[in-house]
Amino acid sequence: MEQKRKLGFWSIVLLTINSIIGTGIFLSPGGVAKQSGALAPFIYVCAAVFAIMLALTFASASKYTRESGAAYAYVRTAFGDNTGLYVGITRFVSASIAWGVMATGAVGTAFQILGYQSDAITFGMRTIGFIVLMVVLFIINVLGTKIFEWVSNLSTIGKCVALVFAILAGIVIAVKTGNHMGEITALVNDAGEKVVPPMTTAGFVTALVAAFYAFTGFESVASGAGDMEKPEKNLPRAIPVAIGIVAAIYFGIILTAMLIDPVAMVTSSSVVVLADVFKSTVIRNVIVIGAFVSMFGINVASSFHTPRLLEAMALRKQVPDVFAKRNSKDIPVNAFIITVLFAIVIPMAFSYDMKGIMIISTIARFVQFVLVPVAVIMFFYGKTKNPTLEGAKKNFATDVVVSVISLILTALLLFKFDWKGSFSTTAETGTSLNMFAIVAMLIGYVIIPVLVYFYAKAHTDKKIAQ
């Protein structure tokens, strides 16, 4: 029998980088700069520390189990099957939708890079591009882990090369032209008001939280632990290494951009904001291509993580067994198909109104950031509903101290999150409830979990009766 190919340590590192670096660093670094001015590069360093604290809790949790599913597996082990199921199914729904959102963004941005204005991209054009992208991702996955690993690694290297090239070019330009970072402080709008306000504690926290979201994605990497070599050993090492690499790249690109032309970064209305910092056509083209590769890469990563979460629940008999079946290339093809349907149908049903459905992904992330640190503390003290992996090396500093710090940081995220903006819309007639967001929340957090719970309960009762 042919031995199953699994992702090695460096492939896990690259997959983690691919899961983190998306469109944000290319398209919207100006938002953080507008809030923090010349301190923007250091805001990203602080955000990296913030992310590493949370990532360490997920890395610590991964050493206590070899199961796939990431937060689902950790919460199920700590709190029991029902709590694990709720986290698993809400994560699956939100991750599927988030994948659809990222795919929609990739298609829309691709059209804009090709010269189409946003209002010229019709529903039909967007849908065709959307489906074509999903078909390509399906083909990449069903061909097997070897092909997926190659495409994932290549897309990760591609986006990193584009960013590193921009950093090196930026350093050369900064040496020749001097430091322009101070120009952002003097920038004013048409009303004569400063675009970048003086830094305050509240402003620092707001900028930090905004920069932190550029580091999210690490929490999904362990969803495919079953397809990784020694995940209980490799994941705890790979995740922090990947975030360190991402932090170095983010710091470098933001610093060089601020040195060269911080005003362009803050005021640009281009699709790929980062490209506007550079005047050279060659550098601009490299960055634009890098942005497209980055968008494609993060979709590749999502196509790996999300179906395996559904498969993990199927292996525990909490959803139909059909989603646990793999093809001849050892890919959970049925789980992939249903995931793609979620990713395609829900964004289409909402007419690609992303604000209405992104809230599901955000809330699911908060749930993970609260429950996983608590689960790790429970693992350390042996107070779990289900058994953990024997021989796991406990560490008070990473398992308890870091988990407590992570809970504090998550409380900060919850406090600074724009709850009002997420559940309301503003128009000329005033502010009203965002019905898209409310309906999405009801579907993702009530209706689907209830249906899945009754399925799992019926399956358990039937097994007991036999």
Side-chain angles (χ1 to χ4, degrees):
M1 183 181 293
E2 183 181 356
Q3 188 176 8
K4 295 178 181 178
R5 184 180 180 90
K6 294 180 180 289
L7 301 181
F9 174 77
W10 285 108
S11 288
I12 297 171
V13 171
L14 291 173
L15 179 62
T16 306
I17 295 172
N18 207 9
S19 302
I20 295 172
I21 299 180
T23 58
I25 197 64
F26 289 96
L27 308 186
S28 56
V32 174
K34 190 178 291 186
Q35 293 171 324
S36 57
L39 292 175
F42 304 99
I43 291 291
Y44 277 91
V45 173
C46 294
V49 175
F50 193 162
I52 286 173
M53 289 294 104
L54 283 165
L56 281 173
T57 64
F58 280 77
S60 295
S62 67
K63 69 186 179 185
Y64 287 96
T65 177
R66 293 192 184 95
E67 290 183 23
S68 297
Y72 160 71
Y74 311 147
V75 172
R76 189 199 68 80
T77 301
F79 298 97
D81 291 349
N82 288 338
T83 307
L85 177 62
Y86 184 80
V87 170
I89 201 63
T90 53
R91 274 198 67 236
F92 170 72
V93 172
S94 66
S96 300
I97 294 173
W99 179 15
V101 170
M102 288 184 289
T104 301
V107 171
T109 305
F111 275 119
Q112 292 181 50
I113 290 174
L114 291 173
Y116 289 88
Q117 297 297 320
S118 296
D119 54 3
I121 305 172
T122 65
F123 181 88
M125 291 168 60
R126 195 182 299 272
T127 300
I128 291 172
F130 192 56
I131 293 173
V132 168
L133 174 59
M134 288 299 184
V135 170
V136 170
L137 294 171
F138 179 76
I139 292 171
I140 290 171
N141 277 269
V142 297
L143 288 176
T145 304
K146 183 177 180 179
I147 298 299
F148 170 84
E149 183 178 19
W150 182 81
V151 174
S152 177
N153 291 351
L154 189 63
S155 61
T156 305
I157 292 169
K159 70 174 75 173
C160 290
V161 166
L163 286 167
V164 171
F165 174 80
I167 292 170
L168 296 176
I171 291 172
V172 173
I173 295 170
V175 169
K176 290 182 177 180
T177 63
N179 180 3
H180 296 272
M181 194 176 293
E183 295 175 6
I184 196 171
T185 305
L187 186 63
V188 296
N189 58 23
D190 294 337
E193 301 168 334
K194 285 193 172 185
V195 173
V196 179
M199 178 58 72
T200 61
T201 302
F204 174 82
V205 172
T206 301
L208 176 64
V209 171
F212 166 77
Y213 285 108
F215 290 92
T216 57
F218 61 83
E219 68 277 4
S220 298
V221 174
S223 294
D227 290 290
M228 298 174 183
E229 294 178 0
K230 300 178 180 178
E232 73 281 4
K233 293 182 179 179
N234 284 331
L235 277 168
R237 294 187 297 128
I239 293 175
V241 168
I243 291 184
I245 294 171
V246 171
I249 293 174
Y250 281 3
F251 176 79
I253 194 63
I254 297 299
L255 178 61
T256 52
M258 293 289 290
L259 289 171
I260 297 169
D261 194 349
V263 174
M265 191 164 67
V266 171
T267 60
S268 173
S269 58
S270 298
V271 176
V272 183
V273 171
L274 194 60
D276 264 9
V277 172
F278 298 89
K279 307 305 179 188
S280 166
T281 302
V282 173
I283 299 174
R284 289 168 63 92
N285 288 340
V286 168
I287 294 174
V288 169
I289 293 171
F292 184 78
V293 171
S294 184
M295 287 183 284
F296 177 74
I298 203 165
N299 275 278
V300 170
S302 294
S303 72
F304 178 84
H305 303 318
T306 314
R308 284 162 175 79
L309 174 57
L310 183 61
E311 180 195 30
M313 290 184 285
L315 290 171
R316 286 286 166 186
K317 311 296 182 184
Q318 293 186 297
V319 297
D321 292 347
V322 67
F323 298 126
K325 293 182 179 179
R326 293 195 166 207
N327 67 359
S328 60
K329 296 291 185 179
D330 199 37
I331 301 299
V333 65
N334 292 334
F336 190 96
I337 291 171
I338 194 67
T339 304
V340 168
L341 289 176
F342 266 95
I344 291 176
V345 171
I346 296 179
M348 285 180 62
F350 282 86
S351 300
Y352 302 109
D353 183 334
M354 296 301 103
K355 185 179 179 182
I357 59 180
M358 277 294 285
I359 185 66
I360 289 185
S361 179
T362 304
I363 300 300
R365 184 168 284 149
F366 284 145
V367 171
Q368 295 174 64
F369 290 166
V370 170
L371 292 181
V372 171
V374 176
V376 174
I377 295 171
M378 293 171 68
F379 294 158
F380 182 84
Y381 288 107
K383 305 293 185 181
T384 59
K385 294 288 186 179
N386 292 303
T388 57
L389 190 65
E390 292 184 8
K393 294 183 179 179
K394 297 183 177 182
N395 185 302
F396 181 79
T398 58
D399 296 357
V400 179
V401 176
V402 172
S403 293
V404 171
I405 294 173
S406 296
L407 287 170
I408 295 171
L409 294 176
T410 300
L412 177 64
L413 279 175
L414 289 166
F415 177 73
K416 294 301 297 183
F417 183 70
D418 184 14
W419 297 101
K420 182 178 179 181
S422 297
F423 288 99
S424 62
T425 55
T426 303
E428 294 181 1
T429 55
T431 302
S432 60
L433 290 175
N434 185 339
M435 295 309 298
F436 283 120
I438 293 171
V439 170
M441 286 290 291
L442 286 174
I443 293 173
Y445 282 85
V446 179
I447 296 174
I448 294 178
V450 167
L451 293 175
V452 174
Y453 168 78
F454 280 115
Y455 169 85
K457 187 176 184 301
H459 186 278
T460 302
D461 291 344
K462 182 179 178 181
K463 186 174 181 181
I464 293 172
Q466 291 176 346

